[in-house]
Amino acid sequence: MNRFFSFLFVFSLIGSLFSLNPITYAQEDTKTSTYTVSPFEQEVFDLVNEERKKQNVKPLILSLKVSKLAREKSEDMRDKDYFDHHSPTYGDPCEHMKKQGVGNGYCGENIAAGSATPKEVMERWMKSEGHRANILNKNYTHIGVGYAKGGRYGTYWTQQFYGEQ
């Protein structure tokens, strides 16, 4: 079982390397007033800003609109039994944000599966060069965090980042 999760982590790392270069799209942070993040999603957000603070990088703003998209991505991976940055439902994460009115700047995504807690997933992401680069990227100003429980891997996590150009 540990081999499987190790493979999954390496696969996620390889996938993140393809999203290291920012993609340019129009951005707009519109609050989704009826949407709230879960305690796990809030904790991931807090941990991200703790890591940024350690590196003297400006904290990110939590976007409720992008958090909703990130949760939908996590749920989609769980429900459709895949683990990839490209969704069969939503396509490329940056294109999906653009279609939802968030675009024209820098964009990135981190995904993970199988981590039981926000602390565990953040430790894994911070040990991965590509994921860490997204978390500490000075070009990003906003983040959305998504979490879904269940499915083949037990948990699915998504961070979606953007920043104005």
Side-chain angles (χ1 to χ4, degrees):
M1 190 71 148
N2 282 340
R3 270 183 139 164
F4 179 75
F5 287 116
S6 293
F7 170 78
L8 185 62
F9 182 70
V10 169
F11 182 77
S12 174
L13 172 62
I14 291 169
S16 73
L17 293 176
F18 292 104
S19 65
L20 285 180
N21 294 327
I23 302 173
T24 305
Y25 297 118
Q27 300 298 352
E28 183 179 316
D29 186 27
T30 307
K31 299 287 184 195
T32 306
S33 60
T34 59
Y35 186 81
T36 58
V37 296
S38 72
F40 268 13
E41 292 163 342
Q42 180 67 49
E43 188 175 345
V44 168
F45 169 71
D46 293 339
L47 291 168
V48 164
N49 278 335
E50 283 178 26
E51 292 296 337
R52 289 173 71 89
K53 184 177 182 178
K54 289 178 195 175
Q55 300 299 319
N56 295 315
V57 179
K58 188 175 176 181
L60 295 172
I61 297 166
L62 182 64
S63 168
L64 296 178
K65 184 172 189 173
V66 178
S67 289
K68 183 177 186 295
L69 300 178
R71 186 184 296 167
E72 289 171 352
K73 171 70 178 274
S74 292
E75 291 170 343
D76 192 55
M77 288 190 293
R78 176 197 64 201
D79 297 345
K80 298 216 168 109
D81 195 25
Y82 72 95
F83 183 76
D84 198 316
H85 290 284
H86 187 85
S87 162
T89 305
Y90 306 114
D92 173 79
C94 297
E95 286 290 333
H96 183 229
M97 283 194 276
K98 179 183 175 186
K99 288 176 188 171
Q100 299 303 314
V102 182
N104 200 12
Y106 299 100
C107 173
E109 177 180 74
N110 286 344
I111 58 174
S115 295
T117 66
K119 183 178 179 188
E120 181 183 337
V121 74
M122 279 298 297
E123 286 173 353
R124 289 175 61 196
W125 276 329
M126 291 306 290
K127 289 179 183 176
S128 158
E129 186 178 331
H131 295 98
R132 179 182 174 88
N134 273 338
I135 290 166
L136 300 177
N137 188 321
K138 293 177 183 179
N139 292 316
Y140 297 144
T141 56
H142 293 73
I143 186 174
V145 180
Y147 166 76
K149 188 173 181 179
R152 182 193 320 192
Y153 305 119
T155 59
Y156 294 81
W157 305 84
T158 304
Q159 294 176 323
Q160 293 182 335
F161 306 89
Y162 75 91
E164 299 296 331
Q165 227 178 5

